[in-house]
Amino acid sequence: MQSSPRFHYIDNLRSLALLLGVVFHAALAYGPYFSNIWFTADPTNHVAFDYFAIWSHLFRMPLFFVIAGFCAALLISKRGGNGFIINRLKRVLLPFVVFFPLTMLVLYHALGWGAEIAHEKPALFTVFQSVKEPIISTMHLWFLWNLTQFCLLCWLLQKHASLYQSILAVVVRPAFLLVALPILLTVALYQQLVPFPAPDKLYPELWSYDFYGVLFLVGAGLYHHHIRVQQYARYFIPLLIMACLSLVPYFYLMPSSPSLEAIIRAANTGVTTPEHIDIFVVIAQSIAIVAWTGVAFLAGYKWLNQFSQLNKYLSDASYWIYLIHVPILIYIQFPLSNTTLSPWLKMFVAVSATMALGLLSYQLLVRHTLIGVLLNGKRVKTARSQQQATPIS
């Protein structure tokens, strides 16, 4: 077993990506674009929340899967293939098996309670009443289910060492990242809604393999060829400019929000293929995904590569907070929807209260319990944790 330096920016980026999920899901309630889609869509809204949600959606989960691939390669290098897959089954699959049914039960109660107290029910409740046999969704826990699948495939791939290393060497080359990767993402997302949906079905969704699976491999390649990260960091400013410019055609070509009829049809069939596919907006979306994910990763490398007790605490707590945050948001946002507060103040209250409850419950119920061991592994002394990596993506 090899020892590895701790990549602090990976830990910090991972926690930020997860915690950004709280802000993202809270914002969905206050943007008019998502008024037909989200559980707690508020009658008072502002278009700024749409722009934030659509922008952050471009890189939040793509960045997470790049980090997950990085951590997977690190674990394989450190513990070997069998040690890697055992760790991933314990830290990724087992939490999914435990929290999926619990989250469904709590979410069911939260929505029923919200329907009773809300003065104005969100449009999505019309969908609930119209769907006869809904397709089971893994909700916001879809990332655990998809990550388990990718880890199993990575475990099989690493058994063929030469092929594994050859693939990882290719996916971090400039030509692949700038040309091949946007093309692969365009192919993957061609028949999906824009903005792209979550691959939240219990059965494998092949487009997710071509999208998140490829990004997972890029992350693994960046671990084995970390010198590439140092080289690409020199071009951070040009990449940031490119990322900002990519938003112009993306937002300009953005299709209108799905109608209730389209949402009902998708909920009944599980098919998210739009009626009309605009290849240009799909291409614009793919370029923006690559650019903004690269910006986020390199920003972390440049400015977040340091250890602190606060960062370590947030890194550990972020997993728990992400797992529980959607039901908490629902319990908070439904009462807020009955008030005349501005959407900005509602957003602040929802995010602040969710984060506070998440941190408090982590400290009291998780950090020093078996749940903490399940999610983050056994705690180690600070001096050791600064020297060794214990991937939790």
Side-chain angles (χ1 to χ4, degrees):
M1 183 174 69
Q2 303 175 15
S3 63
S4 303
R6 184 132 197 141
F7 298 94
H8 297 301
Y9 78 97
I10 294 295
D11 290 335
N12 295 332
L13 276 175
R14 168 193 169 275
S15 62
L16 286 177
L18 290 174
L19 294 177
L20 183 58
V22 179
V23 186
F24 168 77
H25 286 128
L28 295 181
Y30 306 115
Y33 189 90
F34 300 98
S35 59
N36 288 342
I37 300 173
W38 192 239
F39 303 116
T40 54
D42 199 287
T44 58
N45 51 52
H46 195 284
V47 70
F49 293 104
D50 287 334
Y51 283 107
F52 168 78
I54 293 171
W55 166 72
S56 62
H57 184 60
L58 288 169
F59 64 88
R60 184 178 61 85
M61 293 312 294
L63 174 65
F64 179 87
F65 277 92
V66 172
I67 294 168
F70 190 103
C71 293
L74 189 156
L75 266 176
I76 291 171
S77 177
K78 182 180 177 184
R79 303 188 181 187
N82 290 338
F84 156 74
I85 198 61
I86 291 172
N87 176 279
R88 297 297 80 186
L89 293 177
K90 290 193 299 185
R91 302 274 288 280
V92 178
L93 178 59
L94 186 55
F96 175 77
V97 171
V98 171
F99 282 94
F100 176 53
L102 293 176
T103 303
M104 285 196 69
L105 289 174
V106 176
L107 191 63
Y108 180 80
H109 178 271
L111 291 174
W113 174 78
E116 292 179 359
I117 72 162
H119 296 168
E120 184 177 335
K121 291 182 183 179
L124 192 59
F125 281 82
T126 302
V127 179
F128 295 154
Q129 296 170 355
S130 304
V131 175
K132 303 303 180 183
E133 297 182 5
I135 306 298
I136 295 178
S137 168
T138 54
M139 303 169 292
H140 64 292
L141 304 185
W142 66 265
F143 79 102
L144 293 174
W145 184 231
N146 278 254
L147 184 53
T148 299
Q149 297 169 50
F150 300 153
C151 287
L152 287 170
L153 291 176
C154 186
W155 173 64
L156 293 173
L157 180 60
Q158 60 84 34
K159 290 179 177 292
H160 306 278
S162 59
L163 176 61
Y164 173 68
Q165 292 297 336
S166 296
I167 291 174
L168 298 189
V170 169
V171 297
V172 295
R173 293 175 181 170
F176 182 89
L177 295 174
L178 293 175
V179 180
L181 183 57
I183 292 174
L184 287 172
L185 299 192
T186 299
V187 172
L189 299 174
Y190 178 66
Q191 294 190 329
Q192 303 301 316
L193 293 170
V194 176
F196 56 92
D200 61 346
K201 308 301 184 295
L202 281 172
Y203 55 83
E205 297 187 67
L206 295 182
W207 72 267
S208 175
Y209 286 65
D210 191 17
F211 181 25
Y212 290 114
V214 171
L215 293 169
F216 182 93
L217 285 176
V218 169
L222 290 174
Y223 168 75
H224 283 285
H225 303 274
H226 200 256
I227 187 67
R228 292 284 191 182
V229 180
Q230 301 173 32
Q231 294 170 348
Y232 295 150
R234 303 170 189 168
Y235 303 98
F236 177 79
I237 296 300
L239 182 61
L240 177 60
I241 294 172
M242 172 184 167
C244 292
L245 292 176
S246 72
L247 294 179
V248 176
Y250 182 52
F251 282 124
Y252 179 77
L253 296 170
M254 180 68 57
S256 59
S257 178
S259 64
L260 281 176
E261 292 75 15
I263 296 170
I264 291 171
R265 183 170 59 253
N268 276 310
T269 63
V271 177
T272 56
T273 302
E275 295 181 3
H276 305 288
I277 299 174
D278 184 348
I279 184 62
F280 295 107
V281 71
V282 180
I283 292 173
Q285 177 179 241
S286 298
I287 293 172
I289 290 170
V290 172
W292 280 106
T293 302
V295 164
F297 190 90
L298 293 178
Y301 173 75
K302 288 170 68 69
W303 293 299
L304 298 177
N305 198 22
Q306 61 274 331
F307 174 85
S308 76
Q309 290 290 354
L310 177 60
N311 289 344
K312 179 65 170 64
Y313 186 90
L314 290 176
S315 179
D316 290 343
S318 62
Y319 194 176
W320 165 256
I321 293 173
Y322 190 83
L323 291 177
I324 67 169
H325 80 279
V326 169
I328 292 177
L329 276 173
I330 290 174
Y331 282 119
I332 294 170
Q333 288 184 314
F334 269 124
L336 285 174
S337 70
N338 294 333
T339 70
T340 58
L341 299 174
S342 74
W344 301 95
L345 186 54
K346 290 180 181 181
M347 176 74 172
F348 176 78
V349 171
V351 172
S352 299
T354 300
M355 292 289 193
L357 289 172
L359 288 170
L360 181 63
S361 60
Y362 171 74
Q363 181 64 34
L364 297 179
L365 305 176
V366 177
R367 183 169 172 80
H368 303 287
T369 69
L370 289 176
I371 303 175
V373 175
L374 170 66
L375 298 181
N376 297 323
K378 294 181 179 180
R379 296 177 62 200
V380 295
K381 294 181 179 180
T382 302
R384 182 184 172 194
S385 69
Q386 293 187 53
Q387 297 298 324
Q388 292 185 338
T390 308
I392 42 185
S393 292

